[in-house]
Amino acid sequence: MRMKLALGATVAAVFLASAPASTASAGPVAYAPAKASADSRQGAATPLSRVKRKAVGIHGTATLRTKNAFVDYTWQRGSIVAKDASTLTVRSRDGVTWTWKTTSDTRFRRAGAKADLGTLVVGDRVFAIGVAGKPNPTAALVRVPKKLKNPESKVLGS
């Protein structure tokens, strides 16, 4: 739950920071839930629900609180462009490429089931999250989703 809130706050901050200058200079903007109308009760999308559907992050960093400390986590969505025995190279749709270190503690999931590094292949769309590191982050989890909403066979720049 805390991780969802932290990522949500990060997405909200990016969304608000990218607002047009005319909106940003008008002062703080208060958002209130839309009042229920006949249209919203029948399943029509409200403006806020449209934003939620379109606000999908590609890569970033979030600071989360654990029991004893604050930890910076890095995450990325993209396609595997290279792999070897201890690393995965993932390229996001915007062309950003990160190399993720994998360890014996890294968990792998494919279509909801446990997997291992050997089951991942170049071209798989993945979500990777782990502890930020220099020069490369260390993956805690690499997940190949069950079903893609927008399957793409190519990654930008390839």
Side-chain angles (χ1 to χ4, degrees):
M1 179 71 173
R2 288 184 181 151
M3 185 175 204
K4 288 181 183 179
L5 293 175
L7 288 175
T10 302
V11 171
V14 170
F15 178 74
L16 293 176
S18 64
S22 60
T23 305
S25 63
V29 179
Y31 292 97
K35 293 181 180 178
S37 65
D39 288 339
S40 66
R41 285 187 297 256
Q42 294 174 359
T46 63
L48 186 57
S49 68
R50 283 192 296 267
V51 169
K52 286 181 183 177
R53 281 195 310 254
K54 293 181 181 180
V56 176
I58 296 175
H59 53 83
T61 301
T63 303
L64 303 177
R65 185 176 66 181
T66 63
K67 265 185 172 179
N68 302 319
F70 290 91
V71 180
D72 288 333
Y73 283 97
T74 300
W75 55 273
Q76 181 182 23
R77 293 180 201 280
S79 293
I80 298 173
V81 294
K83 82 171 203 173
D84 64 27
S86 62
T87 62
L88 281 176
T89 303
V90 178
R91 182 181 299 147
S92 299
R93 288 183 181 176
D94 63 350
V96 171
T97 303
W98 289 346
T99 300
W100 292 82
K101 291 184 284 187
T102 60
T103 67
S104 60
D105 294 332
T106 302
R107 296 177 316 198
F108 297 94
R109 306 287 289 179
R110 180 185 266 302
K114 288 183 180 179
D116 59 20
L117 182 60
T119 62
L120 302 180
V121 295
V122 172
D124 278 345
R125 302 267 317 148
V126 296
F127 173 77
I129 187 166
V131 178
K134 293 189 175 27
N136 301 321
T138 300
L141 170 68
V142 178
R143 183 177 63 90
V144 178
K146 290 180 184 179
K147 181 179 176 184
L148 294 174
K149 293 180 183 175
N150 274 344
E152 287 186 4
S153 59
K154 292 187 177 181
V155 177
L156 290 177
S158 59

